[in-house]
Amino acid sequence: MPDLTDAASLQQAVRRCIAQTNITDIHTHLFPPSHGGLMLWGIDDLLTYHYLVAELFMVAPRSLTPEKFWAMPKTTQADLVWKHVFIEGGALSEVAGGVVTTLNLLGLDAGPRDLAAIRKWYAAQSANAYLTRVFEQTRIDYAVMTNDPFKAEEVKHWKTSSSLRPVPEFLKTALRIDTMIVDWPGACRLLQAQGYDAQPAGGSVSFAEARRFLLDWAKILKPTYLAASLPPTFIYPEGTTAPQVVQNVVVPVAMELGVPLAMMIGVRRGVNPPLRDGGDGLGVADVRAVENLCRDFPGAKFIVTMLARANQHELTVLGRKFRNLHVEGCWWFCNNASIIEEMTRMRVELLGTAFTLQHSDARVLDQVIYKWAHAKRIAEKVLVERYTKLFNDGWRPTESEIARDIRNLFGGSFKTFLAK
Ligand code: RAT
Ligand code: ZN
């Protein structure tokens, strides 16, 4: 590898390393083909993504109500998004632009705006081959799914014999446990139905049963981590059931399994319920909940992302204080170019490469294509600037060092954290 002797060759090397880096996508909602209809892919799933459904209702005529929309077949819903958000709305938002990026990188021309032709192209793909193609094209070594034992439609796919559920190696599992933390009585009902004696009043027997439930699921899933999305009101250690469940059930199970607890904090569910998933909002959370957990459980590991822009600086500073905290991703409403850039710049300045730059949160397979393409564009901007500054000040990074650093930001640091 030639020495990088001038700023221009250094910048080319940064671009090359970003283009060629492997990616570990640490949080997605993808499913394998063996999970049937849960696996979403193709143009109609892309267009009916809940981020775009929310955008449709910002611009659609009042006569289109959510009730009418949900009663329509998916292709009609997709037609409406195409018409109002793309053709008439200009496709300028991050997520609309993401569909265009995706089509472009698949070699489909969005220029003629020919939805029928795009559908025809997709109709010729098979789920398995397309899954492999998308992962290879995006250079994802593996993606972590979200596997929720509280959702019957998911449970049935795991409660079959393992030979009937071939999950590709490049899809890893995460044991999702929101329900247990945010709705303990609801979780107890479900646990009781499955033969676990957990009671809404809590207590040591109930918590032991809840631990047994999670450990039983861990045997099936072999999760990379335990995961929960939490509201901005989540606090620790004060409060009612949620901190007790975290303290007595979730953290002990994570420690027993030797896996991190991933917390995504700041979502306000059902701000506008008729929009379904598109109706969730955000709120500023109390970062001290994370601080207290990291301090009280030095033997546990926490992966954290937060939804409110206002929480990002405090969380990043916390990332410097606790070696058992891994900061990651620009989540959902932070997954916009301007905010990703601001967050990435700040995190590199404060954390070096000891964080994970992004997760895709893809619900639809194809979304990994644009989410990572967009993340890479921003990484390039930020890192070219950082390396150029270093170079001009006399530091001489080699191309393999640059490749190492970039891999760390795109999943290497996450793997190091898992192995810690
Ligand atoms: O980004 C999303 O699609 C959200 O609906 C949520 O799924 C969120 O990412 C979560 O995991 O709770
Ligand atoms: Zn998610």
Side-chain angles (χ1 to χ4, degrees):
M1 230 173 251
D3 277 359
L4 304 172
T5 49
D6 56 78
S9 51
L10 171 97
Q11 291 164 3
Q12 278 163 12
V14 175
R15 293 194 180 96
R16 214 168 24 244
C17 292
I18 290 178
Q20 291 170 359
T21 193
N22 281 338
I23 291 170
T24 305
D25 195 343
I26 76 170
H27 170 63
T28 75
H29 298 264
L30 300 178
F31 288 103
S34 61
H35 279 50
L38 291 176
M39 178 185 169
L40 302 180
W41 62 286
I43 190 65
D44 292 316
D45 284 325
L46 275 175
L47 292 174
T48 53
Y49 184 35
H50 67 82
Y51 294 30
L52 280 170
V53 171
E55 291 183 22
L56 169 67
F57 284 103
M58 294 175 338
V59 293
R62 275 194 99 84
S63 55
L64 179 70
T65 61
E67 292 70 24
K68 282 188 196 157
F69 178 80
W70 294 121
M72 293 168 176
K74 192 188 280 178
T75 45
T76 314
Q77 295 172 346
D79 288 343
L80 284 169
V81 173
W82 187 249
K83 173 174 161 30
H84 292 290
V85 180
F86 287 77
I87 307 289
E88 294 174 7
L92 280 168
S93 71
E94 180 79 17
V95 60
V99 175
V100 176
T101 305
T102 304
L103 296 174
N104 183 36
L105 292 175
L106 285 168
L108 298 166
D109 185 3
R113 303 171 184 195
D114 186 348
L115 189 52
I118 296 168
R119 284 185 171 132
K120 195 167 162 208
W121 183 86
Y122 270 107
Q125 313 303 315
S126 81
N128 267 309
Y130 188 62
L131 175 63
T132 308
R133 175 200 166 145
V134 168
F135 269 59
E136 281 176 5
Q137 172 171 346
T138 316
R139 295 174 183 262
I140 297 175
D141 62 354
Y142 71 78
V144 183
M145 304 180 281
T146 297
N147 307 98
D148 193 335
F150 295 93
K151 288 195 174 150
E153 68 272 23
E154 291 188 33
V155 167
K156 68 174 188 225
H157 293 288
W158 296 105
K159 290 270 166 127
T160 54
S161 88
S162 54
S163 58
L164 290 175
R165 45 178 155 88
V167 178
E169 264 299 295
F170 54 80
L171 285 175
K172 310 267 183 225
T173 56
L175 176 52
R176 179 86 173 222
I177 42 94
D178 304 22
T179 307
M180 204 171 255
I181 301 177
V182 300
D183 178 19
W184 172 252
C188 287
R189 280 194 295 279
L190 196 132
L191 263 64
Q192 285 162 13
Q194 296 187 32
Y196 299 84
D197 182 21
Q199 300 298 331
S204 58
V205 173
S206 294
F207 291 149
E209 283 294 274
R211 289 196 296 273
R212 189 165 69 85
F213 171 82
L214 293 184
L215 290 168
D216 285 347
W217 266 100
K219 277 184 210 136
I220 298 173
L221 293 174
K222 303 185 181 57
T224 307
Y225 54 75
L226 306 190
S229 285
L230 299 168
T233 49
F234 175 70
I235 48 170
Y236 183 91
E238 311 86 5
T240 52
T241 338
Q244 284 179 39
V245 173
V246 169
Q247 181 182 352
N248 295 295
V249 181
V250 178
V251 171
V253 168
M255 288 175 75
E256 184 168 341
L257 295 170
V259 300
L261 168 61
M263 295 184 291
M264 309 177 79
I265 308 175
V267 58
R268 292 181 58 228
R269 299 281 181 204
V271 168
N272 186 5
L275 294 189
R276 301 192 180 169
D277 286 342
D280 295 344
L282 70 81
V284 178
D286 188 346
V287 181
R288 276 170 300 178
V290 178
E291 177 182 319
N292 294 335
L293 280 166
C294 290
R295 196 179 35 244
D296 287 2
F297 295 99
K301 292 191 276 190
F302 301 93
I303 299 173
V304 177
T305 195
M306 297 187 85
L307 199 47
R309 185 183 178 193
N311 281 134
Q312 301 308 331
H313 184 233
E314 204 178 340
L315 176 66
T316 306
V317 170
L318 211 57
R320 297 169 64 89
K321 306 297 150 196
F322 292 102
R323 66 201 313 175
N324 60 342
L325 172 61
H326 186 76
V327 174
E328 70 90 12
C330 306
W331 179 27
W332 203 345
F333 308 114
C334 286
N335 193 355
N336 306 321
S338 62
I339 300 182
I340 301 172
E341 185 173 333
E342 157 187 310
M343 284 169 65
T344 303
R345 207 176 283 283
M346 175 180 65
R347 287 172 170 180
V348 171
E349 286 164 358
L350 283 165
L351 303 173
T353 61
F355 72 99
T356 299
L357 188 139
Q358 187 56 304
H359 63 246
S360 78
D361 228 321
R363 281 174 185 267
V364 182
L365 169 61
D366 323 52
Q367 288 167 342
V368 300
I369 299 174
Y370 92 78
K371 296 216 183 195
W372 286 109
H374 286 190
K376 282 183 164 188
R377 282 179 202 166
I378 296 159
E380 189 177 304
K381 207 167 160 188
V382 173
L383 293 174
V384 161
E385 191 187 296
R386 296 297 302 169
Y387 281 112
T388 305
K389 183 188 165 299
L390 276 176
F391 188 86
N392 290 339
D393 287 345
W395 188 254
R396 296 282 182 268
T398 64
E399 184 153 351
S400 60
E401 287 171 342
I402 294 171
R404 171 203 64 198
D405 296 348
I406 288 167
R407 171 63 188 140
N408 278 340
L409 292 171
F410 283 86
S413 293
F414 168 75
K415 286 188 178 168
T416 306
F417 183 75
L418 287 183
K420 252 189 196 172

